[in-house]
């Protein structure tokens, strides 16, 4: 019982100490140090114009970007589904938790 009482008292003291620092505004002391200033070298209009021009001219895909270029396939969707079904029937596809 004394251990529970001590833990409750310790939590109450910690809560009061934290709430008094927030009430005094000390929590906002470091706000200016944590936010990095943003410096734009080009305006929004310039960036938008460049994006529209790149979209119109079909600019090459940057290998670091998340977008992928469209790829032409020599195999139809039905052929791929049929091959996947055959591989599944043959037991060639992993399944279950061990497949990860």
């Amino acid at each position: 019982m004394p251990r529970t009482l001590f833990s409750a008292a310790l939590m109450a003291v910690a809560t009061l100490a934290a709430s008094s620092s927030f009430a005094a505004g000390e929590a906002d002391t470091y706000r200016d140090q944590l936010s990095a200033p943003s410096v734009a070298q080009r305006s929004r209009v310039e960036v938008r114009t460049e994006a529209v021009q790149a979209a119109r001219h079909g600019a090459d895909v940057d290998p670091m970007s998340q977008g992928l270029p469209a790829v032409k396939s020599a195999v139809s969707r039905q052929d791929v589904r049929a091959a996947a079904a055959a591989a599944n029937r043959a037991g060639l596809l992993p399944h279950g938790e061990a497949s990860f």
Side-chain angles (χ1 to χ4, degrees), residues 17 22 34 62 65 76:
F22 284 118
L34 295 177
D62 182 17
S65 71
S76 70

Side-chain angles (χ1 to χ4, degrees), residues 57-85:
H57 296 300
D60 294 333
V61 176
D62 182 17
M64 299 300 290
S65 71
Q66 297 296 322
L68 298 175
V71 177
K72 297 287 184 177
S73 178
V75 183
S76 70
R77 183 175 290 189
Q78 293 173 345
D79 293 341
V80 171
R81 283 186 180 170

